[in-house]
Amino acid sequence: MRRLHRFLGRLAARTIPIQRFDRRRRVRVAVLDHESHILLVQNWFGQQLWSLPGGACKRNETPAAAAIRELREETGIVAPVDALQHIGRFSCDEGSRPFVVDLFTVRLEHRLVASSRSPELLTCDWHDTGTLPSPRSTLIGQALQTPSLPHH
């Protein structure tokens, strides 16, 4: 019986990193052009909210690297890491369970063509920050209200 308890204890100890991996840090990127349009994506699952491009960090991936990767995977836009500005860490309770998200911004000189490259997305498109589509993620408002966000 003791061996079984030890075995189960070791097995449980090995599952802890997997649970931590399931609660990965997430990132979102507010991409703005020179005319203050923002790039938004719409997921096909859940509430189909308009949101900022982004996703989860992979194991041992920095939030900045994850932001660049997710932006490229979801929209086809390649931004250099030095163009990213970290504007904060926020709690978000959208979806099945709350999560923490690192929010970044990228300011582009010209509006680039973005295309939905991810099977998770219905579409992605540029929107005027004064007339945002609904339903939308609360993270968009947090990104646009951040004092450190460079406005033109």
Side-chain angles (χ1 to χ4, degrees), residues 86-105:
H86 186 260
I87 57 174
R89 183 172 290 159
F90 300 91
S91 294
C92 186
D93 60 0
E94 297 164 359
S96 60
R97 62 182 175 177
F99 59 92
V100 174
V101 61
D102 280 287
L103 194 51
F104 293 88
T105 186

Side-chain angles (χ1 to χ4, degrees), residues 51-64:
S51 188
L52 302 169
C57 293
K58 291 182 178 179
R59 188 176 294 230
N60 299 323
E61 184 178 41
T62 66

Side-chain angles (χ1 to χ4, degrees), residues 11-51:
L11 183 63
R14 288 184 181 160
T15 61
I16 291 171
I18 293 170
Q19 291 172 347
R20 286 185 190 146
F21 185 67
D22 288 343
R23 296 179 187 154
R24 299 179 288 211
R25 180 183 285 171
R26 296 176 187 228
V27 296
R28 295 289 185 270
V29 185
V31 183
L32 292 116
D33 71 2
H34 63 290
E35 296 176 338
S36 293
H37 289 88
I38 189 166
L39 181 63
L40 301 178
V41 298
Q42 187 178 33
N43 292 303
W44 65 264
F45 56 87
Q47 301 169 357
Q48 298 184 344
L49 298 177
W50 284 94
S51 188

Side-chain angles (χ1 to χ4, degrees), residues 5 10 16 19 27 33 59 62 68 72 77 89 96-97 100 117 120 125 128-129 144 148:
H5 284 275
R10 279 189 235 130
I16 291 171
Q19 291 172 347
V27 296
D33 71 2
R59 188 176 294 230
T62 66
I68 294 297
R72 179 181 33 81
I77 292 177
R89 183 172 290 159
S96 60
R97 62 182 175 177
V100 174
R117 296 177 178 238
E120 300 171 358
D125 203 2
D128 186 301
T129 55
L144 293 174
S148 62

